[in-house]
Amino acid sequence: MGMRLSKASRIVAGVMLAAALFPGNFAAAGAAGASSAGKPAQSQVYNQELFKIHVVDAETGRGIPAVELKTTNNIRYYTDSAGNVAFDEPGLMKQTVFFHISSHGYEVPADMFGYRGQAVDVTPGGNVTIQMNRINLAERLYRVTGQGIYRDTVMLGETPPIEEPLLNGKVMGQDSVQTIKYKNKLYWFWGDTDRPSYPLGNFRVTGATSKLPEQGLDLDVGVDLDYITREDGFAKSLVPPLPDGANIAWIFGLMTVKDNNGEERLLAAYSTHDPNPRSFGILIFNDEKQEFEQLVQFPGTSDWRYAGMGGQGTYYEDGGKGYYIFTQYEYPNIRVEAKMDAIVDYTQYEYFTPLAPGTTYAGANTQLERDAEGKLVWGWKKNTQMLTQEKEKELIGLGLIKADDERYFQLKDVDSGDEVQIAQSSVEWNEYRHSYVMIGQEKFGKTSLLGEIWFSEAPAPNGPWKSAKKIITHDEYSFYNPSQHEYFIKDGGRYLYFEATFTNTFTNAPAMPRYNYNQMMYKLDLANPELNLAPPEGPELTELAQGKAITASSSESSHPAADANDGNGQTRWASDSSDPQWIQVDLGTTSPISRVKLDWEVAYGKAYKIQVSDDGQSWTDVYSTTSGDGGTDIVNFDEITARYVRMYGTQRGTMYGYSLWEFKVFGRN
């Protein structure tokens, strides 16, 4: 933040604020202390009714799961999947209690000290409803797996919407879901699964079945999972020991095909580990044993030609044939004909690529296929290596893919033009959008390494993927391996449901009790106008400010102006705590510019201007606001030529100064 209070000044400021907010309570507390008599409360038998805290989405009124409520002495509570907390804290009943309130993708307004929370009069048997504003475009619905999904709802004596709200299949945590419709049921499979009785659980795939939507399953309400269990009730290992002897087995890319007898069979690509990769191949589900059996093991462990190294599988038709397409290399760029004999033969897999047939990626020596007119030939080719987003970008930088060549994986933020790097994705046809829709997990995101989720669409499952909109954000928490639920698309595809693994893995964040390492369900309304992916008109813009000379009206010693354009989203500029303040960048030469991106820290500008200048002395306003609310501001304006660009703040949004993680300027070189 822009200012740091000393311990003494924080105490004084806090007392002044509390006295201003709760003068009656302070007086009452003093009177009670002066006249109290009798047996001390600490030695009395404690038997109080619960106090219900219900946290809801201000837009929909639905309870929000995974909201943290923290008291001033750091006691933390987390809402269950109905948005409930059953509060029963000895010493805090019949008190006014301030709760700091936070949740990934949701917020409550900050007060003058930057605190986001609410003071609540806690009474035995009472209740309060607290609204949070949703930042995410997608709405968080509930936790699908794990212990205590509706714990607090049950404690409050209310009826939960699922049959097993407390512990199902003795599952404490589950990683990376795969789902498929098979023989009139929906089958669910997960990777590593935790149990209550020991820190090590099941590392050879677990599974469950549920009803289908036409049988009464409604993803707005929840999922009643019927786990495939062993005798002691814990979820059964569904991949028995294989010839490779590895202890860990994962499955990906579920497929259903007809066997030689015309019977529907369930297949899955698999990988085994110990912990390094041991083998890849294809499994087949034994309906009688309710477990998988090996169908084929592919040779080697490092071949890019194999399916089963990660991602989701999607069925689609092309040229009159049915195919399964896989997202293990970020985007859907591997496919195989949906026939048993093709799936088990790795030489029959095809790869979407512009490389010359039969070649592999070789950096500057990569051979590309071009037609007689010099046009780059993208297509499905056997035994020819696919391109990832990174490899395609490298070939563009090398000049091998030219400016007028088609590009398939260079995904950009539709608002800022920033590159969006995809780690994993789930792609399905959507009738409402009349396109293939991607739910993509970003890698190296601004607020979380693997926790940001994006929406994109394309005319074919292989792309081209060009523009994306962020729909979920996490603050230093992972949300990986997303999976769309194609069987639950409502109202002609308008409402889309998806889930992913919610975990602190790959972060420094503490694990959220009950929620960590489990599946969280989200809902996205595809009619939301913010999902319009038409990029701003005009030429493609370039970020011009990074590394350029930058100055400010004032700076904290540990947060200089240069931290706002150093290309590191974890460093920031912070000003003194007064108005006005400014930060300006010298682009080095006059350039046509039309966009500025401001990524605010907690200390944001409520009223500010974007100004431009040719000499750094005389300024022209190109944008102004008096209603800034922090977060990320994308400011678009009519193209203008200028050398200097500055943010000129006239009213702070908090008691602190102004602070920016990033100050970016976009234009044409």
Side-chain angles (χ1 to χ4, degrees), residues 284-348:
I284 187 168
F285 194 69
N286 185 314
D287 297 336
E288 182 178 346
K289 294 182 179 180
Q290 288 287 282
E291 64 186 28
F292 285 97
E293 298 173 343
Q294 188 180 64
L295 200 56
V296 63
Q297 177 179 322
F298 295 146
T301 59
S302 59
D303 201 315
W304 49 264
R305 292 175 293 179
Y306 303 158
M309 300 180 187
Q312 302 284 329
T314 299
Y315 177 83
Y316 83 114
E317 295 183 356
D318 183 19
K321 293 183 179 181
Y323 292 89
Y324 276 100
I325 190 169
F326 307 98
T327 62
Q328 69 187 46
Y329 289 107
E330 306 159 359
Y331 292 86
N333 49 21
I334 301 179
R335 77 177 187 181
V336 66
E337 193 172 354
K339 297 169 60 176
M340 181 84 76
D341 58 353
I343 292 170
V344 299
D345 182 357
Y346 70 90
T347 67
Q348 297 303 306

Side-chain angles (χ1 to χ4, degrees), residues 312-314 316 324-335 350-353 380 386-387 408-409 422 424-428 436-438 458 460-463 465:
Q312 302 284 329
T314 299
Y316 83 114
Y324 276 100
I325 190 169
F326 307 98
T327 62
Q328 69 187 46
Y329 289 107
E330 306 159 359
Y331 292 86
N333 49 21
I334 301 179
R335 77 177 187 181
E350 300 176 335
Y351 312 91
F352 189 70
T353 178
W380 289 103
M386 81 296 289
L387 286 185
Y408 274 81
F409 309 125
I422 294 296
Q424 292 285 355
S425 66
S426 176
V427 174
E428 298 286 352
Y436 283 89
V437 165
M438 172 194 289
N462 46 288
W465 301 99

Side-chain angles (χ1 to χ4, degrees), residues 377-503:
V377 179
W378 283 89
W380 289 103
K381 307 170 187 179
K382 292 182 179 179
N383 197 35
T384 308
Q385 192 170 6
M386 81 296 289
L387 286 185
T388 62
Q389 183 176 10
E390 183 178 0
K391 285 183 169 60
E392 184 187 41
K393 183 179 178 181
E394 289 175 358
L395 293 180
I396 292 170
L398 291 167
L400 295 180
I401 294 181
K402 305 181 188 309
D404 57 349
D405 286 332
E406 181 68 277
R407 303 168 184 194
Y408 274 81
F409 309 125
Q410 298 310 298
L411 199 62
K412 299 290 182 65
D413 182 341
V414 68
D415 296 315
S416 69
D418 289 348
E419 178 185 21
V420 180
Q421 297 184 58
I422 294 296
Q424 292 285 355
S425 66
S426 176
V427 174
E428 298 286 352
W429 170 257
N430 185 271
E431 190 64 34
Y432 184 81
R433 301 288 292 206
H434 296 289
S435 64
Y436 283 89
V437 165
M438 172 194 289
I439 300 299
Q441 167 210 343
E442 184 182 10
K443 59 183 174 183
F444 310 123
K446 167 63 180 68
T447 62
S448 176
L449 179 69
L450 291 173
E452 311 301 273
I453 303 295
W454 294 74
F455 167 88
S456 187
E457 56 188 346
N462 46 288
W465 301 99
K466 295 186 176 181
S467 299
K469 180 79 175 183
K470 185 184 290 188
I471 56 173
I472 293 179
T473 187
H474 289 89
D475 183 11
E476 189 58 16
Y477 223 82
S478 293
F479 196 58
Y480 61 66
N481 289 345
S483 175
Q484 291 188 58
H485 291 296
E486 58 175 314
Y487 313 104
F488 301 96
I489 297 175
K490 291 187 174 182
D491 293 352
R494 173 177 172 177
Y495 295 103
L496 185 151
Y497 299 83
F498 63 95
E499 60 179 286
T501 303
F502 179 79
T503 177

Side-chain angles (χ1 to χ4, degrees), residues 533-582:
L533 298 186
E537 295 182 2
E540 185 172 335
L541 301 180
T542 301
E543 206 287 303
L544 304 175
Q546 183 173 329
K548 300 295 176 59
I550 189 168
T551 56
S553 53
S554 64
S555 298
E556 290 186 350
S557 59
S558 57
H559 301 297
D563 282 355
N565 73 332
D566 60 357
N568 182 353
Q570 304 302 313
T571 60
R572 62 186 177 91
W573 161 72
S575 77
D576 290 346
S577 302
S578 61
D579 292 312
Q581 298 288 339
W582 52 262

Side-chain angles (χ1 to χ4, degrees), residues 41-52:
Q42 288 86 341
S43 64
Q44 296 174 7
V45 175
Y46 187 79
N47 184 20
Q48 296 279 9
E49 294 182 80
L50 299 170
F51 179 75
K52 175 182 176 180

Side-chain angles (χ1 to χ4, degrees), residues 145-147 167-174 193-194 196 227 234-235 518:
T145 61
Q147 182 269 331
L167 185 64
N168 191 1
K170 295 190 178 181
V171 168
M172 299 289 272
Q174 288 188 295
T193 298
D194 293 338
Y227 277 98
F234 180 47
N518 270 300

Side-chain angles (χ1 to χ4, degrees), residues 109-125:
D111 64 19
M112 64 180 293
F113 290 99
Y115 296 134
R116 296 182 183 272
Q118 183 171 323
V120 174
D121 291 325
V122 177
T123 58

Side-chain angles (χ1 to χ4, degrees), residues 244 246-250 252 271-280:
D244 62 22
N247 293 319
I248 299 171
W250 299 332
F252 307 93
S271 64
T272 61
H273 307 261
D274 61 356
N276 295 320
R278 178 68 71 86
S279 68
F280 299 96

